[in-house]
Amino acid sequence: MPTCDLLLTNATVLTLDERFTHYASGAVAVTGDSIAAVGDIAREYQAKQTVDCGRKVVLPGLVNAHTHAPMTLLRGLADDLRLDVWLLGYMLPVEREFVSPDFVKLGAGLACAEMIRSGVTCFADMYYFEESVAEVTAAAGMRALCGQTVLKFPSPDAASYEDSLALARDFITRWKNHPLIVPAPAPHAPYTCTAEILQACAALAVEFDVPLHIHISETLLEVENSRREHGMPVVPWVKKQGLFDAKVLAAHCVHVDEGEIRTLKNTRAGVAHNPTSNLKLASGIAPVAKMLASGLNVGIGTDGPASNNDLDMFEETRLAAILAKGISGDPTALPARQALAMATRLGARALHLGHLTGALEPGKRADLIVLDLQPLHNAPAFARDANAVYSQIVYAAKSTDVTDVMCNGQWLMRDRKLLTVDEPALLRAARDYAKKIDIFLIQREGSVLQKLVAIGGAVEQESFEVQVKARVPGEAAEQALEVLQGDVITIIRSVHYHEYDTYFLFADPSQGRLRYREDEFLDDQGQVTSVRARLTLTGQAREGEFGSVLLSRSHYLAPATYSLRFYREYFKPVAEREVEKDRRRWLVVYKGVEFFVNLDRLIKPAVEGYYLEIKSRTWSRRDAQDKAAIISELLGLFGASPDNALKEDYVELTGRK
Amino acid sequence: MPTCDLLLTNATVLTLDERFTHYASGAVAVTGDSIAAVGDIAREYQAKQTVDCGRKVVLPGLVNAHTHAPMTLLRGLADDLRLDVWLLGYMLPVEREFVSPDFVKLGAGLACAEMIRSGVTCFADMYYFEESVAEVTAAAGMRALCGQTVLKFPSPDAASYEDSLALARDFITRWKNHPLIVPAPAPHAPYTCTAEILQACAALAVEFDVPLHIHISETLLEVENSRREHGMPVVPWVKKQGLFDAKVLAAHCVHVDEGEIRTLKNTRAGVAHNPTSNLKLASGIAPVAKMLASGLNVGIGTDGPASNNDLDMFEETRLAAILAKGISGDPTALPARQALAMATRLGARALHLGHLTGALEPGKRADLIVLDLQPLHNAPAFARDANAVYSQIVYAAKSTDVTDVMCNGQWLMRDRKLLTVDEPALLRAARDYAKKIDIFLIQREGSVLQKLVAIGGAVEQESFEVQVKARVPGEAAEQALEVLQGDVITIIRSVHYHEYDTYFLFADPSQGRLRYREDEFLDDQGQVTSVRARLTLTGQAREGEFGSVLLSRSHYLAPATYSLRFYREYFKPVAEREVEKDRRRWLVVYKGVEFFVNLDRLIKPAVEGYYLEIKSRTWSRRDAQDKAAIISELLGLFGASPDNALKEDYVELTGRK
């Protein structure tokens, strides 16, 4: 008679295997970290320990296919807001201030505790300091695909994308062979990464044979921008960057067409469907039934607890099932059994971990949960239809009906008691963090940025900028115009306008300066053709200097939809400055790089001569350095000397008067 | 110092009053069945008993604005099916067989227990034997609007609509002044009632000054049918019947336009939004944000637990909040605070019980719950934003976080223990019922109706029919044609066709006979212009006889989309009979009543002479009797004698050969 370490008996066993094999009265034999046998096998095994499941249901541990676990610490911080207000006004500033390995460990610990309680044994994560998530998850005994975020912006754990890529490589190298953790690069999203970043992340994933975790086509805006910028929707564009050379887990895929679904299927990508988050943030509803029909592995995810606001896979699975019916008009769409398969087997496959988890089959890891279907809210039960048990689980069971959880052969919860996580300590520490975040945000209530964001539409200018400005005499301006007409520079477009700037200054200079600008666009005859007004909030900080070339970032732009009078009353500046100038502006290419060249004549304050500005966007410090060198060269070409370069903004010239 | 019976202290008190007054640390004073005071009043009252709430949240008991409580006993019986299959194949047959006062009491008891556990203190119900729901609910100490169903079909508690109306009147008379129960007539829906039923129910509600509970515009089909039959959508049609003379609670309102929303608002109707049921049955998504913007009182309901499948108002409220955002593309739509108001104050108003419950205000009944927001899945909490607590409740709290429930000043649950309901006894009895239902349905697996429904599209012919058939000689047929051309009868339309009927007979005659019919429609020259095929399942039973006129019902019609061969193989009849005939058919009006007149010549089996059939639809036994008298008169007019009337179907003539 074969032996096993543990025998779970007297249970309804749902294997969630390909054929949905289930045993009305069955058993599961576990040896070491794995399942030895499943079925009517109770009398065939000699077990070191036997656990009578009291007619409860044993099924695979649920797979949360997409989350940002540490964001438990930001749960409920700011809800029911426009996406930009939520993100720019709350999430990003708080993350910038607070996210650290300590924050990440605490948040991930809370998330693990919550997920274990609700029957999750495996999840796919994406955050900063992901190695801290991995440490906490491994200590809690859970399985996870841990994605180290890579972004074109600076992030809490990396000043540049090169840094975050290096972090990802280190993390993957160290954790590659861990029994519970699968490390992965997580390029955040196509619109927050460059082509180069996507290519580098895919290459990294291929090099180490690990999956790659990314957000794809979450919002319609993302797709529209992709069509405009790349002439195609998101999936073909990332395919062109070689992303699917890696084993991709694509979160969201709300706005994908049939061709994109085919591409995802053909490239063996997995998809994480996040119905609560997609509804709550008003992103839309993913075409899940179509994806499943195409044979795609679609799992279900909660997304981060700042946009959900919990990690309850029972709620998520129910929502996936009923939403698919509601939007298709077909009540037979996504039946309960298929929805539960998404939450288990298909989710595991979407994470590229289907060989390890997601179904109760001999040889797979012992990742399983025990569920009580006998409470009042699930009574009575009918035996006629073999699918009724799936319906009970999906349409009426609650996460609080999970009584026991095992992962990798280890009990994580017994009789609703957590065994691997110190819940009271986590709760205490979370309270302390929440207090600090509260204080931080309350202090910021008077912040100009906060107020700008609160009235809507403020977007962070998504780049570094390298720039130089030099005062040039009238004749140098003539020379510059000749150079622009010449052979070495290609003009892409040019424009001529009259700028009226009003700067609001604040008592606390760290608030930055808010500029209200009205531009009158002029035609060849100097007639006004159109007018545009917008707000820009600029910080004081310079990121760096390369000789006379300055590196700056963090401008917030917003369309000025109200009057100057409104903004004056709303922002209550302590002082104002006015600047008026005539500007000719060219977008040019020089040595294969795009630059903006401005030739400005100051009217208010009235200053003799001209100012020549040369600017370019950049994504990394290395690129900035390269462009700074070309800018200096251009400056020479235009006959200006770096000695005449100015570091002040025009508004600072008004201060001199 | 004023006294009170009970003082709840040390709580976050959310009053959910008009101004959303809330106390971060407050108290509630209760005297008798009512709230004496709310706020910072702990030291102002001398209380017989004080309960320290341990910093939990006290808020109004939730209002489940629409359900069919006894259907807990049918929970999970049949899911993921087409609406017709679900309804005709499972719900109606099982209800016909099992629904009794005993069934209703048990089901309502289970529902009360589940609702108390999840923080509901008041609900709006609609079912059969509603007085039994009222008895159980009052015994459980809950508040309810109890709607006695009125239908044009026979129902488990009434053979005709007159009977169900009488039931409603009796029920209302007896319960009108009960402290917890508000009785009401519940005409099921416009499409299952006649104009007369709607008018009678409205008059009844007005007479006793009680609300009226009805389903309105749940499906697009209902609206399309209303437009076709009445030339207008549902709301104006029921308004025309005087429905809104009563205080209406309209459940669903999924497909209502802006004019209908205005009408509902102007007539002070309440609306119950049932998002889970509307998604699960693929009915659609109600325009809730628009309704709320118009000032309508929109509550939230779970609908019956056979279409949900539970009574969890926390899930329902969260779904209402996120769904409104997802479908509008606006993440600020239906914020958490407003969603919670729907689940409390607005729901109470929708039930026309806003003067009693739905908010914590002095003078209102003490209907309140205590909620623990400190478990893991709701940690941490932020104090900066006063709305954060609503967000915690709506987006992350679970029904299992409710610890204490009070209704009408009486505790129904303390520390998660039910005080007024015997939960183990209910669970035992529910298990016994489920077994019986299982056995019943398993036996029916071989049922012809079941099989017909399973292949889709079967609809129950929604009427009684009175009919007579008489054999007439050739010259009588000539006479009949002359009478039809004459003055006393108005012909609305006529048609001529050739019928090929194949009858399937089954070993068990109670299965009925299944007829596969192909009709060839003929023009004046006898040329075939079109062909139609359909299936009809007829029972053996006759409802009654009025002389030679027969009263029958319960035909199931389905379009025959497959071949005769398919049906033969699928239904496996033990015998077949063929009938072929030439039929001329007229829709006529005689004495203000519509009749169908068929003049048939039998080809197979070949029979000399003609058969004259006269039929009319009817809704009630009294109406049937009236029409039977006119039919006998018509028969005479056509020169046929009641003595020649046949009670057999044509297929029975084939048996004679």
Side-chain angles (χ1 to χ4, degrees):
Chain A
M1 191 183 244
T3 61
C4 66
D5 292 341
L6 177 72
L7 196 60
L8 301 174
T9 63
N10 191 28
T12 296
V13 180
L14 306 181
T15 67
L16 271 301
D17 65 11
E18 279 285 351
R19 293 182 352 271
F20 290 95
T21 309
H22 89 266
Y23 304 92
S25 181
V28 179
V30 175
T31 289
D33 58 9
S34 295
I35 295 168
V38 182
D40 190 16
I41 47 101
R43 264 161 294 180
E44 294 169 21
Y45 276 81
Q46 189 164 6
K48 289 185 193 154
Q49 198 198 350
T50 299
V51 169
D52 185 317
C53 294
R55 309 208 52 71
K56 289 182 194 162
V57 178
V58 173
L59 68 155
L62 305 182
V63 178
N64 184 346
H66 178 66
T67 189
H68 310 283
M71 293 181 88
T72 46
L73 282 174
L74 305 179
R75 182 206 314 271
L77 179 67
D79 282 307
D80 298 325
L81 298 172
R82 296 167 40 134
L83 188 63
D84 51 2
V85 178
W86 176 77
L87 191 67
L88 300 174
Y90 295 91
M91 292 301 125
L92 291 183
V94 171
E95 286 187 332
R96 264 188 223 111
E97 184 72 18
F98 288 96
V99 172
S100 65
D102 182 52
F103 176 102
V104 166
K105 279 179 194 163
L106 176 57
L110 277 171
C112 286
E114 185 182 348
M115 286 192 276
I116 294 169
R117 279 211 169 284
S118 53
V120 173
T121 54
C122 177
F123 64 98
D125 196 62
M126 179 197 288
Y127 209 60
Y128 312 112
F129 300 109
E130 192 66 28
E131 186 156 8
S132 296
V133 175
E135 284 166 15
V136 166
T137 304
M142 293 181 77
R143 194 178 303 288
L145 173 68
C146 291
Q148 166 63 39
T149 300
V150 183
L151 272 171
K152 68 185 176 187
F153 314 120
S155 63
D157 59 356
S160 69
Y161 110 77
E162 290 98 333
D163 292 352
S164 58
L165 197 68
L167 259 184
R169 172 177 287 275
D170 285 356
F171 170 48
I172 294 168
T173 309
R174 272 194 295 276
W175 288 77
K176 201 189 146 9
N177 296 311
H178 194 278
L180 289 169
I181 303 301
V182 177
H188 173 268
Y191 65 95
T192 52
C193 292
T194 59
E196 182 188 350
I197 296 177
L198 296 178
Q199 291 154 13
C201 285
L204 181 63
V206 169
E207 178 185 344
F208 287 92
D209 190 27
V210 293
L212 179 153
H213 191 177
I214 188 169
H215 296 111
I216 293 278
S217 297
E218 182 172 1
T219 67
L220 203 55
L221 182 68
E222 177 185 346
V223 178
E224 284 167 357
N225 286 343
S226 178
R227 284 189 183 278
R228 201 176 52 242
E229 286 168 30
H230 310 302
M232 61 186 89
V234 180
V235 171
W237 189 72
V238 298
K239 181 167 191 281
K240 216 171 146 188
Q241 311 316 317
L243 196 79
F244 297 115
D245 295 347
K247 299 181 290 189
V248 170
L249 168 60
H252 300 302
C253 298
V254 175
H255 302 281
V256 289
D257 62 28
E258 295 196 9
E260 290 178 283
I261 292 174
R262 256 198 314 279
T263 300
L264 290 168
K265 163 70 181 157
N266 293 339
T267 57
R268 295 166 192 272
V271 171
H273 174 45
N274 304 277
T276 296
S277 170
N278 296 155
L279 288 179
K280 185 158 179 280
L281 297 175
S283 307
I285 299 171
V288 179
K290 271 188 202 158
M291 290 188 208
L292 289 168
S294 84
L296 253 180
N297 291 320
V298 186
I300 297 175
T302 58
D303 206 354
S307 55
N308 185 306
N309 295 348
D310 58 25
L311 298 166
D312 188 328
M313 279 291 290
F314 281 82
E315 283 175 13
E316 215 63 39
T317 305
R318 172 163 42 251
L319 180 57
I322 64 175
L323 200 54
K325 303 178 211 310
I327 57 155
S328 65
D330 174 7
T332 69
L334 198 38
R337 201 174 81 161
Q338 195 179 18
L340 193 63
M342 289 174 76
T344 53
R345 187 182 69 246
L346 294 177
R349 287 190 186 163
L351 271 60
H352 304 276
L353 300 179
H355 57 297
L356 294 178
T357 192
L360 301 184
E361 291 173 306
K364 293 227 162 87
R365 298 298 172 268
D367 297 357
L368 57 86
I369 63 178
V370 184
L371 183 66
D372 184 2
L373 290 188
Q374 291 161 59
L376 197 73
H377 57 262
N378 233 325
F382 297 94
R384 177 189 57 87
D385 178 2
N387 284 326
V389 65
Y390 297 103
S391 173
Q392 280 193 286
I393 294 172
V394 171
Y395 299 129
K398 299 180 194 303
S399 60
T400 48
D401 298 335
V402 176
T403 59
D404 305 85
V405 175
M406 172 180 281
C407 183
N408 214 47
Q410 183 194 7
W411 286 115
L412 309 186
M413 182 167 81
R414 287 288 281 142
D415 204 15
R416 295 194 174 86
K417 294 233 159 32
L418 295 180
L419 305 178
T420 55
V421 180
D422 182 352
E423 200 172 335
L426 286 170
L427 287 172
R428 272 193 306 277
R431 266 196 294 276
D432 292 345
Y433 247 112
K435 267 185 211 147
K436 283 188 261 177
I437 293 171
D438 259 340
I439 291 167
F440 167 74
L441 277 180
I442 290 165
Q443 282 174 345
R444 276 184 30 134
E445 285 298 270
S447 148
V448 174
L449 172 58
Q450 190 94 351
K451 293 182 100 168
L452 182 63
V453 165
I455 55 172
V459 289
E460 187 170 11
Q461 200 174 15
E462 57 169 27
S463 64
F464 287 145
E465 222 173 37
V466 280
Q467 59 175 50
V468 70
K469 175 161 59 191
R471 192 164 167 192
V472 293
E475 51 283 11
E478 293 298 310
Q479 182 185 339
L481 285 172
E482 273 167 38
V483 172
L484 283 165
Q485 317 293 335
D487 285 345
V488 292
I489 288 176
T490 311
I491 295 176
I492 294 176
R493 61 173 185 267
S494 70
V495 64
H496 182 196
Y497 51 101
H498 206 100
E499 270 185 39
Y500 301 87
D501 293 338
T502 304
Y503 288 85
F504 291 171
L505 309 185
F506 301 97
D508 170 10
S510 75
Q511 298 270 343
R513 280 191 298 246
L514 186 67
R515 182 182 65 201
Y516 175 86
R517 163 174 294 180
E518 272 183 55
D519 294 335
E520 288 178 355
F521 289 87
L522 307 174
D523 64 13
D524 292 348
Q525 279 73 45
Q527 298 297 307
V528 176
T529 55
S530 67
V531 177
R532 172 181 69 175
R534 61 182 182 176
L535 291 166
T536 308
L537 180 64
T538 50
Q540 292 281 70
R542 299 278 181 219
E543 284 288 322
E545 298 183 16
F546 304 103
S548 56
V549 179
L550 304 176
L551 179 61
S552 67
R553 71 159 141 243
S554 262
H555 296 223
Y556 291 84
L557 291 179
T561 46
Y562 304 107
S563 66
L564 179 58
R565 183 189 167 85
F566 167 87
Y567 294 115
R568 188 175 289 133
E569 290 187 11
Y570 180 74
F571 287 104
K572 296 189 170 47
V574 293
E576 287 183 37
R577 298 275 183 277
E578 287 184 3
V579 174
E580 192 184 328
K581 60 178 177 284
D582 180 275
R583 165 169 286 183
R584 302 188 57 158
R585 179 181 180 86
W586 295 267
L587 173 60
V588 305
V589 175
Y590 175 65
K591 294 199 167 170
V593 181
E594 283 191 359
F595 295 95
F596 282 105
V597 176
N598 298 332
L599 190 62
D600 295 342
R601 187 165 55 79
L602 267 183
I603 298 163
K604 185 178 179 180
V607 177
E608 282 292 297
Y610 288 81
Y611 290 87
L612 183 73
E613 274 192 340
I614 307 173
K615 294 184 183 189
S616 185
R617 289 197 181 150
T618 181
W619 300 116
S620 77
R621 194 165 283 271
R622 197 191 55 216
D623 176 71
Q625 198 160 4
D626 295 346
K627 286 182 177 154
I630 309 180
I631 285 180
S632 297
E633 216 178 291
L634 264 175
L635 202 62
L637 214 59
F638 287 133
S641 155
D643 299 343
N644 293 335
L646 296 173
K647 291 182 183 174
E648 294 96 339
D649 277 353
Y650 290 120
V651 63
E652 289 164 295
L653 304 179
T654 66
R656 287 194 191 156
K657 278 187 83 181
Chain B
M1 190 182 243
T3 61
C4 66
D5 292 341
L6 178 70
L7 197 59
L8 301 174
T9 63
N10 191 27
T12 297
V13 179
L14 306 181
T15 67
L16 273 298
D17 66 10
E18 280 286 350
R19 293 182 352 272
F20 291 94
T21 309
H22 90 265
Y23 305 92
S25 181
V28 179
V30 175
T31 290
D33 59 8
S34 295
I35 295 167
V38 181
D40 189 17
I41 47 103
R43 264 160 295 181
E44 294 168 20
Y45 276 81
Q46 191 166 2
K48 291 186 191 150
Q49 199 199 347
T50 299
V51 170
D52 184 316
C53 295
R55 309 206 53 69
K56 289 180 192 163
V57 178
V58 173
L59 69 155
L62 306 183
V63 178
N64 185 346
H66 178 66
T67 189
H68 311 283
M71 294 181 87
T72 45
L73 282 175
L74 306 178
R75 183 208 309 274
L77 179 66
D79 282 307
D80 298 326
L81 298 172
R82 295 166 43 134
L83 189 62
D84 51 1
V85 178
W86 177 77
L87 192 67
L88 300 174
Y90 295 91
M91 292 300 125
L92 290 183
V94 171
E95 286 186 331
R96 265 189 222 111
E97 182 74 16
F98 287 96
V99 172
S100 65
D102 182 53
F103 176 101
V104 166
K105 279 180 195 162
L106 176 58
L110 276 171
C112 286
E114 185 182 347
M115 286 193 275
I116 295 169
R117 281 211 169 283
S118 53
V120 173
T121 55
C122 177
F123 64 98
D125 197 62
M126 178 197 287
Y127 208 59
Y128 312 112
F129 301 109
E130 192 67 27
E131 186 156 6
S132 296
V133 175
E135 285 166 15
V136 167
T137 304
M142 292 181 78
R143 194 178 303 286
L145 173 68
C146 290
Q148 166 62 40
T149 300
V150 184
L151 272 171
K152 68 183 177 189
F153 313 121
S155 63
D157 60 356
S160 69
Y161 109 78
E162 290 99 332
D163 291 353
S164 59
L165 199 67
L167 258 184
R169 172 177 288 273
D170 285 357
F171 170 50
I172 294 167
T173 310
R174 273 196 294 276
W175 288 77
K176 202 194 144 7
N177 297 309
H178 194 277
L180 288 170
I181 303 300
V182 177
H188 173 267
Y191 65 94
T192 52
C193 292
T194 61
E196 183 188 350
I197 296 178
L198 296 178
Q199 290 154 15
C201 285
L204 182 63
V206 169
E207 179 184 343
F208 287 92
D209 190 27
V210 292
L212 179 153
H213 191 177
I214 187 170
H215 296 111
I216 294 275
S217 297
E218 181 173 359
T219 67
L220 203 54
L221 182 67
E222 177 185 347
V223 179
E224 284 168 359
N225 285 343
S226 178
R227 285 189 183 276
R228 201 176 50 240
E229 287 168 29
H230 309 302
M232 60 187 89
V234 180
V235 171
W237 190 71
V238 299
K239 182 168 188 282
K240 217 173 146 188
Q241 311 315 318
L243 195 80
F244 297 114
D245 295 347
K247 299 180 291 188
V248 170
L249 168 61
H252 300 301
C253 297
V254 176
H255 302 280
V256 290
D257 62 28
E258 294 196 8
E260 291 179 283
I261 292 174
R262 259 197 314 278
T263 301
L264 290 167
K265 162 69 181 156
N266 293 339
T267 58
R268 295 167 192 275
V271 170
H273 174 44
N274 304 278
T276 295
S277 168
N278 296 156
L279 288 179
K280 185 158 178 281
L281 297 175
S283 308
I285 299 170
V288 179
K290 271 187 201 159
M291 293 188 206
L292 289 168
S294 83
L296 253 181
N297 291 320
V298 186
I300 297 175
T302 58
D303 205 355
S307 56
N308 185 306
N309 296 351
D310 58 26
L311 298 165
D312 188 328
M313 280 291 290
F314 282 83
E315 282 176 12
E316 215 63 40
T317 306
R318 172 164 42 251
L319 181 56
I322 63 174
L323 199 55
K325 303 178 211 309
I327 59 156
S328 66
D330 174 7
T332 69
L334 199 37
R337 202 173 79 160
Q338 194 179 17
L340 194 62
M342 291 174 74
T344 54
R345 187 181 71 247
L346 295 177
R349 289 189 184 163
L351 271 59
H352 304 276
L353 300 179
H355 55 298
L356 294 178
T357 191
L360 301 183
E361 291 173 305
K364 293 228 162 89
R365 299 299 172 269
D367 297 356
L368 56 84
I369 63 177
V370 184
L371 183 66
D372 184 2
L373 289 187
Q374 290 161 56
L376 196 74
H377 56 261
N378 233 323
F382 296 94
R384 177 189 59 86
D385 177 2
N387 284 327
V389 66
Y390 298 103
S391 173
Q392 278 192 286
I393 293 172
V394 171
Y395 299 129
K398 299 180 195 300
S399 60
T400 48
D401 298 334
V402 176
T403 59
D404 305 84
V405 175
M406 171 179 281
C407 183
N408 214 46
Q410 182 194 6
W411 285 117
L412 309 186
M413 183 167 80
R414 287 288 282 141
D415 204 14
R416 296 197 173 86
K417 294 234 157 35
L418 295 180
L419 304 178
T420 56
V421 180
D422 182 351
E423 199 172 335
L426 287 171
L427 287 172
R428 272 193 306 276
R431 267 196 294 275
D432 292 345
Y433 248 112
K435 268 185 211 149
K436 283 189 261 176
I437 294 171
D438 259 340
I439 290 167
F440 169 75
L441 278 181
I442 289 165
Q443 282 173 344
R444 276 184 31 132
E445 287 294 272
S447 149
V448 174
L449 173 57
Q450 188 94 351
K451 292 184 101 167
L452 183 62
V453 165
I455 55 173
V459 290
E460 188 169 12
Q461 197 174 17
E462 54 169 29
S463 63
F464 289 147
E465 224 173 34
V466 282
Q467 58 174 47
V468 70
K469 176 162 58 190
R471 192 165 166 190
V472 293
E475 51 281 14
E478 292 298 312
Q479 182 185 339
L481 285 173
E482 272 166 37
V483 171
L484 283 164
Q485 316 293 333
D487 285 345
V488 293
I489 287 177
T490 311
I491 295 175
I492 295 176
R493 59 172 187 267
S494 70
V495 64
H496 182 196
Y497 52 100
H498 205 97
E499 270 185 38
Y500 301 87
D501 293 340
T502 304
Y503 287 85
F504 291 171
L505 309 185
F506 301 97
D508 171 8
S510 74
Q511 299 270 342
R513 280 192 297 246
L514 186 66
R515 183 181 63 202
Y516 175 87
R517 164 174 293 182
E518 271 184 58
D519 295 335
E520 288 178 355
F521 290 88
L522 306 174
D523 64 14
D524 292 349
Q525 281 73 47
Q527 298 298 306
V528 177
T529 55
S530 67
V531 176
R532 173 181 69 174
R534 61 183 183 177
L535 291 168
T536 309
L537 180 65
T538 50
Q540 293 283 71
R542 299 280 179 217
E543 285 290 322
E545 299 184 14
F546 304 102
S548 57
V549 180
L550 305 176
L551 179 61
S552 66
R553 72 162 142 239
S554 261
H555 297 221
Y556 290 84
L557 291 179
T561 45
Y562 303 108
S563 66
L564 179 59
R565 183 189 166 83
F566 168 86
Y567 294 113
R568 188 174 289 135
E569 291 187 10
Y570 181 72
F571 287 104
K572 297 189 170 45
V574 293
E576 286 184 38
R577 298 275 182 276
E578 286 185 6
V579 174
E580 191 183 329
K581 59 177 175 282
D582 180 274
R583 165 168 286 182
R584 303 188 57 155
R585 179 181 180 87
W586 295 268
L587 174 60
V588 305
V589 175
Y590 175 65
K591 296 201 169 170
V593 181
E594 285 191 356
F595 294 94
F596 283 106
V597 177
N598 297 331
L599 190 62
D600 295 343
R601 188 167 54 79
L602 267 182
I603 298 163
K604 185 177 182 184
V607 177
E608 281 294 299
Y610 288 82
Y611 289 88
L612 183 71
E613 275 191 337
I614 309 174
K615 296 184 182 189
S616 184
R617 290 199 180 150
T618 182
W619 300 115
S620 76
R621 193 165 286 268
R622 198 189 56 216
D623 176 70
Q625 199 159 3
D626 296 346
K627 285 183 178 153
I630 310 181
I631 284 180
S632 297
E633 215 178 294
L634 263 175
L635 204 58
L637 214 60
F638 287 134
S641 155
D643 299 341
N644 294 335
L646 296 174
K647 292 183 182 172
E648 294 96 338
D649 278 354
Y650 290 120
V651 63
E652 288 163 296
L653 304 179
T654 64
R656 286 194 192 159
K657 278 188 80 175

